[in-house]
Amino acid sequence: MMLLKDILKNKGGQPVTVPPTATVADAIRAMNDCKVGSVMIPNADGSPAGIFTERDVLNLCAEGRTDFGKMSIRPCMTCDIIAGKLEDKVSDVLAIMTAKRFRHMPVVENGKVVGVVSIGDLVKAKLEETAVEAQNLREYITS
Amino acid sequence: MMLLKDILKNKGGQPVTVPPTATVADAIRAMNDCKVGSVMIPNADGSPAGIFTERDVLNLCAEGRTDFGKMSIRPCMTCDIIAGKLEDKVSDVLAIMTAKRFRHMPVVENGKVVGVVSIGDLVKAKLEETAVEAQNLREYITS
């Protein structure tokens, strides 16, 4: 059974972050540079202050608010975060993501953000797990 | 085994579209109004001309190009589309999406776009299918 910690181990690296003092332009640049759809905003102690995603960018653009260099990230980020734990099961997290309709979940350990998993990361892992299971079943049946 | 046509049947409705004469502002408004992350741009005959997603909005913003009302959708949309068919298996489409790193796939029948499926739609369907299978197995074992 695959857990979030397995995903983060395979994915490697640190989550993409900007500080709470950043502008929306900083957040957009960070997402674009790292080719990701979300950026975490951690507090000084590493706890999650908020998350900002490409959906938030879309919403701002739809409101005609595009002066990103002058906009603080604080009022634009989502603070009501649903976070996961290292021991959470991939299938449980996928169920939460599809029910609540979001695609990026921060993973928190000891109160600190240690990574972010996307729905794409989780689906990829599930497909690999299913392929291994099917292979094992085939070997079992033919042995 | 679940197919794309099952997803579209459950999802209902028509895909969100704007014409090739639309501006980027029109596309952003359509996505925001319908709470979706992509919009299809069909030709007059219904064939897919392009797709435009919230990732494209992010890229434009990162380049400082935010004069959306004056920007034609044509040069900003992705024309090199990977489309699915009604009879495609959900698990095959998920594998393509995660390998190629995209999250919206138009479904084409007789050369016309008949719908768009998102990675979220597909994961939701797979989870429901797996739950039904598990229930059937439990009933089989306890009977």
Side-chain angles (χ1 to χ4, degrees):
Chain A
M1 193 89 77
M2 234 179 221
L3 309 179
L4 290 193
K5 65 180 176 185
D6 303 317
I7 310 283
L8 289 182
K9 206 166 81 180
N10 290 341
K11 200 176 175 179
Q14 291 294 309
V16 180
T17 63
V18 294
T21 52
T23 64
V24 171
D26 296 330
I28 288 174
R29 203 173 307 120
M31 283 194 272
N32 193 58
D33 288 350
C34 300
K35 305 278 167 233
V36 292
S38 75
V39 59
M40 284 302 302
I41 299 96
N43 291 309
D45 65 358
S47 63
I51 188 167
F52 184 78
T53 74
E54 54 197 344
R55 183 60 58 97
D56 297 316
V57 177
L58 179 72
N59 293 343
L60 288 172
C61 292
E63 292 168 10
R65 299 173 59 201
T66 57
D67 203 359
F68 304 126
K70 290 182 183 160
M71 292 164 60
S72 168
I73 195 73
R74 273 203 181 275
C76 301
M77 67 192 190
T78 300
C79 298
D80 186 16
I81 293 174
I82 301 178
K85 297 187 296 295
L86 288 172
E87 306 294 327
D88 283 347
K89 285 181 214 148
V90 166
S91 45
D92 291 345
V93 173
L94 276 173
I96 294 168
M97 277 188 175
T98 51
K100 303 273 184 184
R101 297 177 63 90
F102 64 89
R103 287 187 309 238
H104 301 93
M105 182 187 266
V107 186
V108 171
E109 191 191 27
N110 298 325
K112 290 184 205 310
V113 179
V114 292
V116 174
V117 291
S118 73
I119 191 169
D121 297 332
L122 301 182
V123 170
K124 192 156 171 278
K126 276 304 275 185
L127 289 172
E128 285 164 2
E129 187 180 46
T130 307
V132 168
E133 277 171 11
Q135 179 63 25
N136 289 346
L137 275 174
R138 271 193 298 273
E139 282 172 12
Y140 176 79
I141 289 164
T142 57
S143 69
Chain B
M1 192 90 78
M2 234 179 219
L3 309 178
L4 290 193
K5 65 180 176 186
D6 304 316
I7 309 283
L8 289 182
K9 206 166 80 182
N10 290 341
K11 200 175 172 177
Q14 291 294 308
V16 181
T17 64
V18 295
T21 51
T23 63
V24 171
D26 296 329
I28 287 174
R29 202 173 308 118
M31 283 193 273
N32 193 58
D33 288 350
C34 300
K35 304 281 165 229
V36 293
S38 75
V39 59
M40 284 302 303
I41 299 96
N43 292 309
D45 65 359
S47 64
I51 188 167
F52 184 77
T53 73
E54 53 196 346
R55 183 61 58 99
D56 297 316
V57 177
L58 179 72
N59 292 342
L60 288 172
C61 292
E63 293 168 8
R65 300 172 58 201
T66 56
D67 202 358
F68 303 126
K70 290 182 181 159
M71 292 164 61
S72 167
I73 195 74
R74 274 204 181 276
C76 300
M77 68 191 189
T78 299
C79 299
D80 185 16
I81 293 174
I82 301 177
K85 297 188 296 294
L86 288 171
E87 305 294 326
D88 283 346
K89 285 182 214 147
V90 166
S91 46
D92 291 346
V93 173
L94 276 173
I96 293 168
M97 278 188 175
T98 53
K100 304 271 185 186
R101 298 176 63 90
F102 63 89
R103 288 188 305 239
H104 301 92
M105 183 187 265
V107 185
V108 171
E109 191 191 28
N110 299 326
K112 291 185 205 309
V113 179
V114 292
V116 175
V117 291
S118 73
I119 191 168
D121 297 332
L122 301 182
V123 169
K124 191 155 170 279
K126 276 303 275 185
L127 289 172
E128 284 163 4
E129 188 181 44
T130 307
V132 170
E133 278 170 10
Q135 179 62 24
N136 289 346
L137 275 173
R138 271 193 298 273
E139 282 172 12
Y140 176 78
I141 289 164
T142 56
S143 70

